[in-house]
Amino acid sequence: MHDYDTALKTLLKSPGCTLLRQISGVEITAWLNVELPRVQNLRVDLLGATRDGNLVHIELQGTNDLDMALRMAEYYIHIYRLHRRAPRQIVLYVGNAPLKMSNVFPEPEFPFSYSLVDIRELDGAPLLASPHIEDNLLAILARFQNERIAVRQILARIGELNEPERRLAFNQILIISGLRKLALTIEEEAHKMPVTIDLREHDLFGPVMEQGIQIGKQEGRLEGKLEGKLEGKLEGKLEGRKEGALTLLLRLIEKRFGDLPTGLEGRLKSLTEAELDALSLRLLDAKSIEDLLGS
């Protein structure tokens, strides 16, 4: 969740973002220190102050935490201790699994509750129509009748930005799209754009993707020449593409998690090209090699 946290916090804290007003009904005019000293040195996701001095605490949650109410109660007490003001608390659920958390503390002796918002229940159309790119990007997590059309519209908006802003926005959409398993859809639609937007602009995929593609092309040409027949050329091209996909995946894993464990390459060689590509995209979500291979 750390990658998602960074991207989502950056978007939500942008002056142009209207999603916070949509879920909280207030305008955040200042962002406060999120380090909560005392005992465990708790750190909240977002803590803002309104124009009239009220506090708004927002937690971004990508999984169902059955202790969420307890966590929010702990945050509440520490925020109050630090600022001597009671915060209004909101948990923004951005996960893909059905929402199962409760927003009420289970102990009757401690009446405590907070707002719990599933972003998938929000209409994505207003965010998509917003003039602010931050809202456009966050729209990918909301509710749509046709996700592919929404992706196409978001990419068109990204394509209107200048190069540095476009690169940043594309990195952010790739990161948070992992929450909806839409990275492949984004890649497919990006290739149709008149402005060059592809995974090679992504901070993780970019440095090694082009090398993997070139290896696949070289292997395919070599195998095709040696065979000397149409069937040989096709087989060589397909095999070369698989070798390129394998090389790309291994380099991405090494870049993301460090040294490759013994036997990993042999294990991945048994997979198809499509399976290798799917694993490459799941790197956006995986927290470890074990998590990646167990998906």
Side-chain angles (χ1 to χ4, degrees):
M1 183 64 186
H2 295 302
D3 289 341
Y4 302 148
D5 273 355
T6 301
L8 290 171
K9 288 176 190 176
T10 300
L11 294 171
L12 289 169
K13 291 172 72 173
S14 170
C17 183
T18 60
L19 177 60
L20 286 182
R21 288 196 294 273
Q22 185 175 348
I23 67 175
S24 68
V26 296
E27 179 183 3
I28 303 296
T29 56
W31 293 107
L32 309 179
N33 182 12
V34 294
E35 293 287 353
L36 301 180
R38 304 282 188 248
V39 191
Q40 296 178 333
N41 193 32
L42 298 177
R43 181 181 180 88
V44 301
D45 281 338
L46 295 169
L47 181 62
T50 64
R51 195 176 306 278
D52 54 7
N54 293 324
L55 298 182
V56 179
H57 165 214
I58 299 173
E59 282 297 306
L60 306 171
Q61 190 63 22
T63 59
N64 283 291
D65 184 352
L66 299 182
D67 284 332
M68 196 69 213
L70 176 60
R71 284 175 51 196
M72 294 300 287
E74 291 174 338
Y75 291 146
Y76 183 97
I77 292 172
H78 283 275
I79 292 172
Y80 187 87
R81 184 190 297 274
L82 180 63
H83 295 282
R84 293 299 171 178
R85 284 175 287 172
R88 179 186 175 190
Q89 293 183 295
I90 303 170
V91 170
L92 181 60
Y93 180 66
V94 298
N96 210 35
L99 177 60
K100 297 180 180 179
M101 293 181 292
S102 171
N103 67 330
V104 178
F105 196 73
E107 296 296 331
E109 297 299 321
F110 184 49
F112 171 81
S113 63
Y114 57 92
S115 298
L116 181 58
V117 178
D118 188 341
I119 197 171
R120 292 171 301 186
E121 297 300 319
L122 302 180
D123 184 2
L127 295 174
L128 200 57
S130 169
H132 305 294
I133 187 62
E134 295 83 8
D135 286 328
N136 305 152
L137 299 179
L138 289 166
I140 198 71
L141 301 177
R143 185 183 74 249
F144 285 103
Q145 290 185 341
N146 191 313
E147 290 181 333
R148 183 171 290 274
I149 292 178
V151 166
R152 195 173 301 154
Q153 291 178 271
I154 295 170
L155 290 178
R157 180 72 177 87
I158 293 175
E160 297 172 357
L161 303 174
N162 60 44
E163 197 279 332
E165 292 177 339
R166 185 173 69 244
R167 180 182 295 273
L168 174 61
F170 192 56
N171 279 333
Q172 290 172 327
I173 193 64
L174 275 176
I175 291 172
I176 64 177
S177 69
L179 290 165
R180 294 294 176 265
K181 313 298 182 185
L182 290 174
L184 183 58
T185 300
I186 289 176
E187 182 188 8
E188 292 171 351
E189 292 299 324
H191 287 309
K192 303 175 184 177
M193 299 296 296
V195 178
T196 302
I197 300 178
D198 59 45
L199 282 175
R200 275 166 279 191
E201 292 191 10
H202 189 265
D203 289 341
L204 173 63
F205 287 82
V208 293
M209 174 163 280
E210 184 62 31
Q211 184 174 1
I213 293 173
Q214 293 303 322
I215 289 175
K217 289 180 178 178
Q218 291 170 6
E219 292 288 344
R221 286 195 296 267
L222 178 60
E223 291 293 328
K225 288 179 180 179
L226 292 176
E227 190 67 27
K229 296 180 180 179
L230 178 60
E231 292 82 358
K233 291 180 181 178
L234 177 59
E235 180 181 352
K237 183 177 181 180
L238 293 175
E239 185 63 26
R241 288 175 55 181
K242 179 179 175 180
E243 288 294 329
L246 175 60
T247 301
L248 170 62
L249 178 58
L250 290 172
R251 291 179 180 275
L252 287 173
I253 293 175
E254 185 175 16
K255 183 176 179 66
R256 182 79 183 274
F257 300 118
D259 294 339
L260 300 176
T262 304
L264 177 63
E265 182 174 356
R267 180 176 177 183
L268 295 179
K269 280 185 177 179
S270 63
L271 302 180
T272 65
E273 180 189 349
E275 291 171 330
L276 292 171
D277 288 340
L279 283 178
S280 294
L281 292 173
R282 281 206 293 267
L283 274 172
L284 293 169
D285 299 309
K287 298 179 176 62
S288 65
I289 295 178
E290 292 75 16
D291 182 30
L292 172 68
L293 298 181
S295 300

